[in-house]
Amino acid sequence: MKIAVIDGQGGGIGSLVIKRLREVLGDRVEIIALGTNSTATSVMMKSRANKGATGENAIVWNAPRVDIIAGPLSIVLANGMLGELTPRMAEAIASSPARKVIIPLNQEGVEVLGVTREPLPHLIERLVESIKEVAHV
């Protein structure tokens, strides 16, 4: 099972996701850290991702080659993350046959109705539980 964790800016959310996935799933899954910039990738790699890559081409190339894509809502919004997430990245992620497990953080002026506000640690825990169910591990 290959899981791509995508993040940008400082990579803090992706780092927390990877750390928690490793604690719960151990080495039974392959985690690929995909950063919109090298800082994000570097921070996520320190949380024990198996591999890491940076930038538009890395995200476009890997998106259809993984089973699950995880990250904040911004990863499917063109020009998200203050413009770091390009329209081509958003299209590749949204069009990927991989299951997308998204944390509903609203930084782009997009509000997802029906979602209750929860602290980030709770959202990450829910994301990890969702992936655990899908991964059957």
Side-chain angles (χ1 to χ4, degrees):
M1 173 75 51
K2 284 187 181 179
I3 302 169
V5 177
I6 302 175
D7 199 3
Q9 299 183 312
I13 294 170
S15 175
L16 292 171
V17 168
I18 292 170
K19 182 178 178 185
R20 189 67 185 130
L21 284 170
R22 276 288 172 239
E23 289 171 355
V24 173
L25 303 177
D27 292 329
R28 294 174 285 178
V29 295
E30 180 179 356
I31 301 173
I32 302 171
L34 297 174
T36 59
N37 62 66
S38 60
T39 300
T41 304
S42 176
V43 168
M44 290 191 287
M45 288 300 296
K46 290 176 183 171
S47 294
R48 296 187 45 221
N50 296 91
K51 298 175 185 171
T54 301
E56 182 180 84
N57 196 59
I59 290 173
V60 169
W61 193 83
N62 281 290
R65 291 173 172 80
V66 297
D67 301 298
I68 298 172
I69 296 173
L73 175 64
S74 300
I75 67 172
V76 291
L77 299 175
N79 301 311
M81 298 181 181
L82 300 175
E84 283 188 15
L85 201 105
T86 68
R88 193 165 167 239
M89 290 176 182
E91 180 182 5
I93 294 164
S95 300
S96 168
R99 178 178 291 260
K100 277 68 96 181
V101 184
I102 302 296
I103 297 173
L105 294 177
N106 298 324
Q107 296 182 348
E108 314 300 331
V110 175
E111 187 168 342
V112 181
L113 299 177
V115 176
T116 58
R117 289 181 176 251
E118 292 186 47
L120 182 59
H122 294 182
L123 294 172
I124 290 173
E125 201 59 40
R126 292 180 66 183
L127 178 142
V128 170
E129 286 302 315
S130 178
I131 289 174
K132 187 177 172 184
E133 287 178 23
V134 172
H136 304 292
V137 291

